[in-house]
Amino acid sequence: MSVASTKSIVDHALDARYGVPAINIVNDLTLEAVLAGAVSARSPLIVQTSVKTVRSIGAEVLVAMWRTMTAGIEVPVALHLDHCPDRSVISECLRLGWNSVLFDGSHLSVAENQRQTVEVVAEAHRHGAHVEGEIEAITGVEDDLGADEEGRRENLQTLIDFVRTTGVDVFAPAIGNAHGVYTTEPELDGQRVSDLVKACSVPIALHGGTGLSRDQFSDLIARGCAKVNISTALKVEFMKSSLTFLRDAEKNSTWDPPSLFANVREKVIGLTVDLAHTFGSAGKAW
Ligand SMILES: [Zn+2]
């Protein structure tokens, strides 16, 4: 296998009830390291890019790195655009070859979000790509998007109607999860996941995965969270391991950037392998 459709990756995970790590990368180093981690764990993987990352690297450079680094890769991998309210960025990424996008219309009314999501699904499917939808904002700020106040929650029937009407391939409901670092233990509404999967057979995306316990992951994955988003954990690993390394460099007065990169790479590979084991995706590559 090599680059695969996001739908094939999440449908397989939903059927077999494991979670695919969907990890936000921030640069070339972290992109290469999460891919190496997936190969090492024999795990399918979704690589996510925030709008901020797309803008900082440039969509064309990013997709060129992706193509080069995934050529001949032996596990199923897909490139996904995370929370994007901007239709022009969605169109650009679909045109360049992203495998899926999250159209984030959570700031819109449900009716307007639904109308635009139908358009995005049609546009993505024309490109052979897939769409994740959401109607409730996930609490917390991530890469400059979102708010710390908990957003409104719609009733279950509204969510079911949205999934059926739009034909989204993955759905991200609010279940008490949040982006960033949890300051108190989250109260998760797993029943909402079970109800949505039962009604629509749609793979569920779990946002705000960083900081949840092993038991919380197991429960939600068994209910149908087939895509598990991890962003904060990679950022923390990147920054903290760099900080420790740089403190040692200062102490020893050795200033060698490639050894800093190699250190971060090993940490990110380790993180990816750990996530694949926690989510049950290790060994599931086909
Ligand atoms: Zn998210």
Side-chain angles (χ1 to χ4, degrees):
M1 236 321 152
S2 56
V3 176
S5 76
T6 299
K7 184 170 168 54
S8 70
I9 290 177
V10 290
D11 283 355
H12 192 272
L14 180 65
D15 283 349
R17 287 296 196 274
Y18 61 86
V20 177
I23 308 178
N24 285 58
I25 57 95
V26 294
N27 63 359
D28 54 343
L29 175 62
T30 48
L31 171 58
E32 192 276 334
V34 296
L35 292 169
V39 170
S40 167
R42 301 288 311 151
S43 170
L45 173 75
I46 296 171
V47 170
Q48 304 207 132
T49 58
S50 69
V51 175
K52 186 178 183 178
T53 297
V54 172
R55 292 208 168 109
S56 76
I57 298 174
E60 300 213 1
V61 174
L62 229 173
V63 84
M65 295 190 319
W66 166 256
R67 291 228 164 86
T68 305
M69 290 183 194
T70 58
I73 194 164
E74 295 158 1
V75 297
V77 292
L79 183 62
H80 176 80
L81 176 65
D82 201 14
H83 297 275
C84 183
D86 185 337
R87 294 282 299 274
S88 66
V89 176
I90 284 188
S91 294
E92 184 184 22
C93 289
L94 289 173
R95 185 175 57 77
L96 288 170
W98 261 252
N99 301 103
S100 51
V101 296
L102 166 49
F103 173 58
D104 186 342
S106 58
H107 57 293
L108 304 170
S109 68
V110 174
E112 177 59 13
N113 183 354
Q114 189 162 295
R115 191 189 70 73
Q116 292 203 37
T117 303
V118 167
E119 292 178 355
V120 173
V121 168
E123 182 182 357
H125 288 184
R126 275 201 302 279
H127 288 279
H130 296 100
V131 176
E132 178 179 335
E134 73 170 271
I135 56 180
E136 304 154 317
I138 309 290
T139 309
V141 179
E142 186 167 83
D143 279 5
D144 309 332
L145 288 173
D148 282 326
E149 305 79 56
E150 184 159 354
R152 67 176 201 285
R153 282 211 215 159
E154 305 293 341
N155 67 47
L156 182 69
Q157 193 57 47
T158 304
L159 271 57
I160 292 170
D161 291 344
F162 180 90
V163 171
R164 287 184 178 155
T165 306
T166 58
V168 289
D169 307 287
V170 187
F171 186 66
I175 55 164
N177 47 339
H179 292 139
V181 176
Y182 290 101
T183 47
T184 55
E185 172 98 357
E187 277 185 39
L188 300 173
D189 185 356
Q191 191 57 44
R192 250 184 152 208
V193 175
S194 299
D195 292 344
L196 277 164
V197 171
K198 187 170 175 217
C200 309
S201 303
V202 68
I204 300 298
L206 173 62
H207 287 246
T210 302
L212 300 186
S213 70
R214 202 168 265 271
D215 286 349
Q216 285 171 320
F217 282 128
S218 300
D219 176 59
L220 292 170
I221 289 167
R223 291 173 185 275
C225 283
K227 172 174 179 280
V228 185
N229 290 15
I230 297 290
S231 177
T232 303
L234 182 139
K235 292 174 180 168
V236 170
E237 190 69 61
F238 186 105
M239 298 297 278
K240 286 195 174 171
S241 65
S242 298
L243 185 62
T244 305
F245 190 90
L246 287 168
R247 281 191 174 134
D248 282 347
E250 185 176 43
K251 199 165 68 193
N252 303 325
S253 201
T254 50
W255 302 106
D256 177 46
S259 29
L260 169 67
F261 304 154
N263 184 263
V264 172
R265 179 176 186 270
E266 285 309 311
K267 299 287 183 192
V268 173
I269 289 174
L271 171 71
T272 306
V273 170
D274 282 352
L275 292 172
H277 284 282
T278 303
F279 301 162
S281 65
K284 296 292 200 306
W286 62 87

